[in-house]
Structure formats: C-alpha cells, structure tokens
C-alpha cells in the first residue's frame, strides 16, 4: 500500500500558503511528539472572514501536505464555514485511508488541530452562549 498519494507528494514538495503573516490575527502552534511534526497556523481575520492563512513548521510529508491542503480549503471562508470544516473534510482532501493508522492520522490532523485551537481561542467570547 502506498501511503503517499500523488497529492501528498505534490503538496509536500510545493506547499501552498507556506510562510508567516505580518498582520496575523491568530497565531497558534501545535506539536505532534510521536512523529516530531510542528505546525504553526497564522490567520488574518477581517469582517468574520479568513482573509489570509499561512502555515509554517516542519515534519513528515503527511503533516506538511495536510497543512498545505487545509490552507487552500480554508482561505477566503467565513468563520462559520471554517469552524464547520471537519476532520472528515480534511481526510477527504488527503484521499488516503488513515483510519487504520493512528500514528499517521495524528500527522494528518495536526494542522487542523492548530487551526481550530487558534480559531476557537480568538472566538471564545463570541461562543460563550454556546458552552
Ligand atoms: Zn508526522
């Protein structure tokens, strides 16, 4: 079985939205100690929309490719849409079955975790009534 689909190889070689934002509204980093992956997600939010998203970090091909795919999927979305972007959505983009491979699943979901943690950190006061 080939764990590395074409899409993953392509994204890990030529990642989208790699870098940092000068005017980030959100900057949040997560680690995956099992694999050594590190992903920082930076967002520029204006008018309840994700105007810009960048990621930086290092790690295995899956973690970096998933971050690249995530940023492509999230850029330009409203906060509402971005919050409803699920791990199933991301796994569908990655396109390889990871449910039997919890180690690799952690790699794949690291960027989404960094993104959601950062996003919910900022939106906490808005979301109080939902708690
Ligand atoms: Zn990894």
């Amino acid at each position: 079985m080939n764990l590395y689909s074409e899409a993953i190889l392509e994204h890990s070689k030529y990642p989208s939205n790699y870098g940092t934002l000068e005017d980030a509204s959100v900057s949040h980093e997560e680690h995956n100690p099992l694999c050594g992956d590190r992903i920082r997600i930076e967002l520029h939010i204006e008018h309840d929309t994700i105007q810009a998203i960048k990621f930086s970090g290092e790690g295995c091909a899956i973690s970096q490719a998933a971050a690249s795919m995530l940023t492509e999927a999230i850029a330009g979305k409203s906060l509402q849409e971005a919050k409803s972007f699920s791990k199933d959505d991301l796994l569908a983009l990655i396109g390889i079955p990871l449910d039997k491979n919890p180690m690799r699943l952690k790699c794949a979901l690291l960027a989404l975790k960094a993104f959601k943690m950062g996003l919910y950190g900022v939106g906490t006061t808005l979301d109080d009534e939902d708690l």
Side-chain angles (χ1 to χ4, degrees):
M1 186 180 88
N2 186 8
L3 257 181
Y4 295 86
S5 68
E6 282 296 315
I8 286 187
L9 291 175
E10 198 66 12
H11 275 273
S12 65
K13 229 190 238 174
Y14 310 106
S16 298
N17 305 306
Y18 190 90
T20 55
L21 292 173
E22 259 174 42
D23 52 355
S25 331
V26 174
S27 180
H28 186 80
E29 184 172 302
E30 285 290 320
H31 299 254
N32 173 15
L34 293 174
C35 181
D37 308 320
R38 189 174 61 79
I39 299 274
R40 173 173 292 276
I41 297 275
E42 296 196 331
L43 308 169
H44 180 62
I45 298 170
E46 228 175 88
H47 306 301
D48 286 335
T49 302
I50 296 178
Q51 303 283 354
I53 177 167
K54 293 265 193 190
F55 84 96
S56 56
E58 59 200 12
C60 67
I62 289 184
S63 69
Q64 304 300 304
S68 172
M69 291 174 188
L70 175 73
T71 60
E72 281 188 356
I74 291 298
K77 285 226 189 319
S78 70
L79 291 183
Q80 189 90 23
E81 291 170 319
K83 282 179 179 172
S84 66
F85 187 86
S86 70
K87 70 176 195 171
D88 290 337
D89 293 330
L90 182 61
L91 291 174
L93 289 178
I94 293 171
I96 50 173
L98 291 170
D99 45 335
K100 296 222 169 63
N101 197 329
M103 284 278 284
R104 287 293 162 196
L105 190 61
K106 274 198 186 304
C107 299
L109 296 180
L110 184 64
L112 185 61
K113 190 176 170 198
F115 169 66
K116 289 259 168 112
M117 300 269 279
L119 200 57
Y120 281 102
V122 158
T124 306
T125 51
L126 291 173
D127 292 329
D128 271 354
E129 59 197 34
D130 299 326
L131 293 176

